[in-house]
């Protein structure tokens, strides 16, 4: 049996080992270069072009992996059909037991590359985590949250959890800013004020529509201002700007905010 | 011998906004700019990216001579063109009472409106100050009502609003009044303000005629500069490009000996027309900025103009090649606050420096730092009591803002 296993592999000379080492090193360097260079180039570009360049990152990574595998495989394994079958069979058993989750995530990553439910630069929410997709690996993806926290999510989660993508490859992201007001006020005045607040924001993407939706609640009135910032990355500045100036406008016009009743346990 | 005055077609023409089309840049210039912009994206350092590229190959022209060679624009001619338009307009069966004249940045068309208004004895309304726009629009508008009963002109309608939560009310009141009144009026409005107000208050929905000055292509610029150079000189002045030696403005054969017949190249004028989007005043500024004299051959004086023996070299001025004209590129390192400040200045056609922080979602210190930085780059200049965009750089800034997704004007 040992001789059969021995027959599977090439006899590796020191020169072969050195070549394998060099190939792996080059692959690693290319990986690193891809991770550094593509985001650096993307940051130099504006808007849509930035997102288009970032989308290449996972594709380049996959190309590097496949190329490295194709170069190394005939160097290590004697490339006969029997050996190939034996190798793949052994791999399958080992991976099936030991690395089931890892391989599942890997395959999910490949599926993701094909389906592209999200791209680098997208703002997504999954399992309660909201942030910008920084990089897409084969096994996991990296999200930066608004608190500058890096979160790694296995690709497998993408297949069995609902995914909310706010941008889907574009730079536009709809922001919703809530105002909760005391029920006794003139709604037309409030609508006009909030429209002006939105249209006079320095961060607004003015070519996109501004919509104000009003919901009547038992405790008061909920106004939702729906508008788009210049870029998805400006969303928090935009929301802050609308909130601050909206508050100023409402106070100047003596419009009160809602007082939401709390239970005694909440008060405590 | 007096050079034949080129019978230029009527250069100045006001046309409906829908018919406006701007001259395009030559493809070579678009490619060259694209390469420069691409390379600049990978250079470091905020200030090193930018610098005027003026090559002092030749001497700058003394101001007095420059004013003689390229005198100021004759606004009376432009006012005549406006007259022509209104004569045709008011002869129509049911002309609109409100005419909105769109004024591109650095076009100074308000001078024409002031001139035309005085000629025809229409009321020229002053712009409100910032407090009147924000805090007392109702009472201030009340004081205007008697004046609005007579024909009136507002040269700078963009100074009647602010991008501020209380800054749109006064303009709405004025437009509501104008819409319902039979009194004719002319409103001059900056093209950036027009683009903004279309979304903010749907200004294009108000019944009006919207007109704009027809863009100057390279042929019109040729006629324009030739006419200007003939205003103070009887004999021809030669304008030649420094690297090729070719004429930038065509020569009059009667003045040139056969062996000296020089070729004409319109590349500079095509680039100038494309860069300035057909804005003649902007082109005029850049044209003056590009002129040089040979220090070994003093340019002719006023008294020497009639001297027929004077060599051609004494009546030759040199034009820097387009790529050396010295308009800086906009660095990639501009931050969001820099771009917002630039856009704000353009939307309002200049803002008083001390008031600018009121229009921005940044602290006073941040705004002051940004103003200092943009002034150092040469993008902002002080004019009267306002800060405004440097005219020479304006097209580049516009391109930058457009590329970053900011609202810009439509021309």
């Amino acid at each position: 049996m040992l001789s059969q296993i021995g027959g599977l592999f090439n006899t590796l000379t020191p020169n072969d080992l050195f070549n394998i080492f060099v190939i792996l090193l080059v692959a690693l360097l290319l990986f690193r270069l891809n991770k550094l260079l593509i985001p650096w180039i993307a940051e130099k570009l504006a808007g849509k072009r930035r997102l288009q360049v970032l989308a290449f990152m996972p594709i380049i990574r996959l190309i590097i992996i496949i190329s490295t595998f194709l170069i190394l495989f005939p160097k290590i394994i004697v490339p006969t059909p029997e050996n190939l079958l034996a190798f793949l069979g052994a791999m399958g058993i080992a991976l099936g037991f030991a690395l089931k989750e890892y391989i599942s995530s890997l395959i999910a990553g490949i599926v993701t590359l094909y389906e592209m439910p999200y791209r680098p630069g997208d703002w997504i929410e999954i399992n309660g985590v909201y942030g910008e997709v920084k990089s897409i690996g084969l096994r996991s993806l990296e999200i930066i949250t608004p608190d500058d926290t890096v979160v790694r999510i296995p690709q497998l989660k993408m297949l069995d959890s609902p995914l909310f993508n706010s941008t889907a490859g574009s730079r536009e992201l709809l922001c919703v800013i809530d105002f909760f007001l005391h029920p006794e006020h003139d709604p037309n005045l409030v609508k006009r004020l909030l429209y002006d607040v939105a249209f006079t924001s320095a961060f607004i993407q003015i070519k996109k529509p501004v919509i104000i939706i009003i919901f009547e609640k038992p405790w008061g009135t909920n106004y939702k201002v729906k508008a788009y910032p210049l870029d998805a990355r400006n969303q928090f500045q935009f929301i802050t700007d609308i909130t601050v100036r909206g508050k100023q406008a409402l106070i100047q016009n003596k419009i009160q905010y809602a007082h939401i009743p709390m239970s005694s346990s909440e008060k405590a | 011998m007096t050079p034949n005055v080129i019978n230029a077609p009527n250069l100045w023409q006001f046309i409906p906004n829908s018919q406006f089309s701007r001259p395009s840049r030559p493809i070579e210039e678009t490619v060259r700019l694209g390469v420069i912009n691409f390379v600049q994206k990978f250079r470091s350092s905020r200030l090193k990216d930018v610098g005027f590229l003026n090559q002092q190959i030749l001497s700058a022209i003394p101001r007095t001579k420059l004013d003689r060679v390229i005198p100021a624009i004759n606004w009376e001619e432009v006012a005549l063109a406006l007259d022509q338009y209104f004569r045709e307009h008011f002869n129509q069966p049911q002309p609109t009472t409100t005419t909105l004249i769109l004024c591109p940045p650095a076009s100074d068309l308000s001078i024409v409106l002031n001139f035309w208004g005085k000629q025809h004895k229409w009321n020229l309304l002053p712009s409100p100050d910032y407090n009147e726009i924000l805090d007392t629009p109702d009472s201030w508008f009340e004081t205007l009502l008697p004046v609005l009963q007579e024909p009136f002109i507002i040269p700078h309608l963009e100074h009647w609003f602010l991008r501020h939560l209380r800054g749109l009310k006064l303009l709405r009141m004025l437009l509501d009044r104008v819409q319902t009144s039979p009194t004719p009026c002319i409103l001059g409005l900056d093209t950036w303000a027009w683009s903004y107000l279309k979304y903010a208050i749907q200004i294009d929905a108000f019944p009006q005629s919207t007109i704009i000055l027809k863009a100057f292509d390279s042929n019109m610029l040729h006629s324009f500069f030739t006419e200007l150079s003939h205003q103070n000189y009887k004999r021809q002045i030669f304008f030649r490009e420094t690297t090729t030696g070719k004429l930038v403005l065509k020569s009059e054969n009667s003045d040139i000996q056969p062996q000296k017949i020089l070729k004409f190249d319109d590349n500079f004028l095509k680039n100038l027309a494309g860069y300035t989007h057909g804005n003649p005043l902007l082109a005029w500024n850049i044209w003056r900025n590009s002129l040089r004299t040979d220090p070994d051959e003093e340019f002719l004086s006023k008294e020497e103009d009639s001297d027929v023996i004077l060599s051609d070299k004494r009546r030759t001025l040199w034009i820097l090649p387009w790529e050396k004209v010295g308009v800086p590129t906009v660095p990639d390192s501009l931050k969001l606050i820099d771009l917002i400040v630039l856009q704000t200045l353009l939307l309002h056609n200049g803002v008083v420096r001390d008031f600018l922080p009121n229009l921005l979602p940044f602290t006073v210190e941040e705004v002051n730092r940004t103003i200092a930085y943009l002034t150092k780059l040469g993008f902002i200049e002080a004019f009267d009591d306002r800060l405004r965009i440097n005219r020479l750089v304006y097209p580049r800034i516009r391109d930058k803002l457009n590329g970053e997704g900011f609202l810009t004007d439509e021309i």
Side-chain angles (χ1 to χ4, degrees), chain A:
Chain A
M1 187 178 171
L2 279 173
S3 65
Q4 280 177 325
I5 294 170
L8 197 62
F9 298 97
N10 279 323
T11 309
L12 296 174
T13 63
N15 197 41
D16 290 329
L17 286 169
F18 178 75
N19 286 342
I20 290 168
F21 174 74
V22 167
I23 291 167
L24 286 171
L25 192 65
V26 168
L28 212 67
L29 282 171
L30 288 173
F31 247 78
R32 193 85 184 121
L33 207 64
N34 178 45
K35 196 173 180 180
L36 290 173
L37 195 62
I38 301 290
W40 183 72
I41 292 172
E43 282 307 310
K44 301 287 182 187
L45 302 172
K48 222 175 181 176
R49 285 199 195 98
R50 180 180 76 89
L51 300 173
Q52 286 166 345
V53 166
L54 283 175
F56 278 103
M57 262 182 79
I59 298 168
I60 293 172
R61 189 176 290 144
L62 185 63
I63 292 171
I64 295 169
I65 291 172
I66 292 174
S67 306
T68 308
F69 181 77
L70 289 175
I71 293 169
L72 283 180
F73 187 80
K75 285 190 183 304
I76 299 172
I77 308 288
V78 178
T80 62
E82 296 81 14
N83 284 348
L84 200 60
L85 274 170
F87 178 76
L88 289 175
M91 283 280 289
I93 293 168
L95 296 176
F97 282 109
L99 299 170
K100 182 169 93 72
E101 293 286 337
Y102 189 92
I103 296 302
S104 299
S105 281
L106 216 60
I107 293 170
I110 294 170
V111 170
T112 303
L113 274 180
Y114 169 71
E115 288 185 352
M116 295 194 90
Y118 49 81
R119 285 157 242 225
D122 278 349
W123 285 78
I124 66 171
E125 181 178 350
I126 182 159
N127 287 351
V129 178
Y130 176 71
E132 185 182 0
V133 176
K134 265 300 176 209
S135 66
I136 303 175
L138 274 183
R139 192 193 70 80
S140 63
L141 83 141
E142 199 175 283
I143 292 178
I144 305 272
T145 69
D147 300 331
D148 212 22
T149 302
V150 175
V151 180
R152 282 193 173 276
I153 302 176
Q155 293 281 17
L156 191 57
K157 287 287 175 204
M158 304 300 167
L159 295 185
D160 59 17
S161 302
L163 170 75
F164 302 87
N165 192 334
S166 301
T167 46
S170 79
R171 64 189 299 182
E172 291 154 359
L173 181 148
L174 177 67
C175 292
V176 182
I177 305 102
D178 285 291
F179 293 89
F180 304 101
L181 304 183
H182 192 278
E184 288 171 17
H185 62 266
D186 177 0
N188 287 316
L189 173 62
V190 171
K191 261 188 80 174
R192 166 57 63 91
L193 287 173
L194 293 179
Y195 266 120
D196 280 359
V197 164
F199 276 112
T200 55
S201 173
F203 298 106
I204 192 169
Q205 178 46 266
I206 204 168
K207 291 183 181 177
K208 300 293 283 186
V210 173
I211 299 169
I212 296 176
I213 303 177
I214 307 172
F215 296 97
E216 198 62 28
K217 304 282 187 190
W219 41 259
T221 314
N222 174 206
Y223 287 81
K224 287 186 181 292
V225 178
K226 294 187 166 188
Y228 291 81
L230 287 164
D231 191 282
R233 291 193 285 184
N234 305 137
Q235 60 183 287
F236 301 109
Q237 291 157 303
F238 180 58
I239 290 169
T240 304
D241 185 53
I242 299 291
T243 304
V244 165
R245 292 187 311 111
K247 199 163 184 133
Q248 282 175 342
L250 294 167
I251 290 172
Q252 279 167 12
N253 284 274
K254 297 182 173 38
I255 293 163
Q256 289 186 4
Y257 274 73
H259 297 289
I260 300 174
M262 292 195 300
S263 65
S264 50
S265 57
E266 284 171 329
K267 281 181 192 171

Side-chain angles (χ1 to χ4, degrees), chain B residues 334-390:
Chain B
L334 287 190
K335 296 179 185 163
L336 181 65
I337 184 173
D338 303 322
L339 298 172
I340 287 179
V341 166
L342 290 171
Q343 190 208 30
T344 304
L345 291 177
L346 283 163
L347 284 182
H348 296 93
N349 193 13
V351 179
V352 172
R353 187 201 170 103
D354 290 341
F355 188 78
L356 186 57
N358 293 295
L359 301 177
L360 299 168
F362 307 110
T363 64
V364 174
E365 291 75 25
E366 285 172 324
V367 173
N368 287 337
R369 264 201 306 276
T370 303
I371 290 172
Y373 174 62
L374 294 174
T375 306
K376 203 169 185 178
L377 287 179
F379 294 168
I380 285 179
E381 59 186 11
F383 183 76
D384 289 345
D385 59 342
R386 290 174 180 259
L387 290 176
R388 70 176 187 188
I389 302 296
N390 180 334

